[in-house]
Amino acid sequence: MNLYLRYFDQETLVNTVDEAIDFLAGIDEIGMNPVLESDIRDYAASDVFYPKRYKVRPRIYFIIIKTEAATMQDFKEKKAVRPVDVGGRDRNASPAVARLNEINPGWYEGAIDFKRVLLVPGTGKFQYRDAHFVARVKAESGIDCYNRIVEHLQERVDERSQFPSAKGKNFKFFYLGQAK
């Protein structure tokens, strides 16, 4: 596992943690110390693969990224990107999106949290309020369930109400079974 380090326009790709610490020690603004060195060693030894950023001063950071790229050119061209196993599904679709588009005709229960526009009686002004709506619908897929619920609500609430994306955390659906 290699490490890519970057501080403004200074960047490097190193093979060991010691090389990374030497690179950072060569930058006076970073101020390498035993605590920072220990934290970098812990990050390199961990199973974590997301980038790590370290604060140098307010709004100024340097980053470290674990990579399998052998050269800087490979890293820049993203040739060593870790493959994600999605179990035979479309590699570009996340598991939640794949489940959302999966065709399975029957009854679904969908729950949606949305922003509903309501009139405030005392002032005569309108305001957004969080609303929760649950319905059981006959649909072909999760996305069809979402579309049917939103169509139903759009006919009954103010047109300025805001509905979340079907892919987000504010829409959940459950397959209940085959339609008779």
Side-chain angles (χ1 to χ4, degrees):
M1 185 65 50
N2 295 327
L3 298 171
Y4 169 80
L5 293 96
R6 182 168 155 194
Y7 180 70
F8 287 105
D9 60 346
Q10 300 175 40
E11 62 184 359
T12 188
L13 185 70
V14 296
N15 299 325
T16 66
V17 178
D18 292 328
E19 291 175 17
I21 291 170
D22 290 342
F23 170 76
L24 293 171
I27 302 172
D28 293 333
E29 296 173 343
I30 291 179
M32 181 57 70
N33 59 47
V35 174
L36 181 59
E37 181 179 339
S38 174
D39 195 48
I40 292 170
R41 288 186 189 280
D42 291 344
Y43 170 72
S46 71
D47 293 337
V48 175
F49 282 95
Y50 54 84
K52 178 113 177 175
R53 72 179 187 172
Y54 292 91
K55 190 174 198 172
V56 175
R57 55 183 191 271
R59 296 183 305 236
I60 306 293
Y61 299 88
F62 71 88
I63 63 166
I64 300 177
I65 300 173
K66 288 183 182 179
T67 181
E68 295 174 359
T71 65
M72 184 67 82
Q73 183 71 22
D74 289 347
F75 180 78
K76 296 284 183 168
E77 294 176 359
K78 296 180 173 72
K79 290 185 179 175
V81 175
R82 292 176 54 88
V84 177
D85 181 27
V86 290
R89 295 187 186 117
D90 180 13
R91 290 193 177 271
N92 295 329
S94 71
V97 174
R99 198 171 75 84
L100 190 65
N101 292 322
E102 192 175 280
I103 303 295
N104 196 6
W107 286 98
Y108 287 82
E109 182 174 295
I112 188 168
D113 295 320
F114 67 102
K115 298 285 187 185
R116 183 175 184 176
V117 174
L118 293 172
L119 176 66
V120 178
T123 63
K125 296 183 179 179
F126 292 90
Q127 72 179 38
Y128 286 101
R129 293 259 175 104
D130 290 333
H132 181 75
F133 183 78
V134 179
R136 291 184 177 176
V137 297
K138 192 184 240 186
E140 298 292 318
S141 64
I143 192 70
D144 187 34
C145 172
Y146 171 82
N147 290 335
R148 289 174 187 250
I149 289 173
V150 170
E151 284 174 14
H152 173 80
L153 289 171
Q154 283 177 334
E155 294 173 3
R156 289 162 176 81
V157 298
D158 191 290
E159 63 187 24
R160 294 171 289 183
S161 296
Q162 298 174 353
F163 298 99
S165 167
K167 300 173 191 173
K169 65 180 182 180
N170 291 324
F171 173 68
K172 294 178 178 52
F173 69 95
F174 304 99
Y175 179 70
L176 298 174
Q178 291 288 334
K180 291 184 179 181

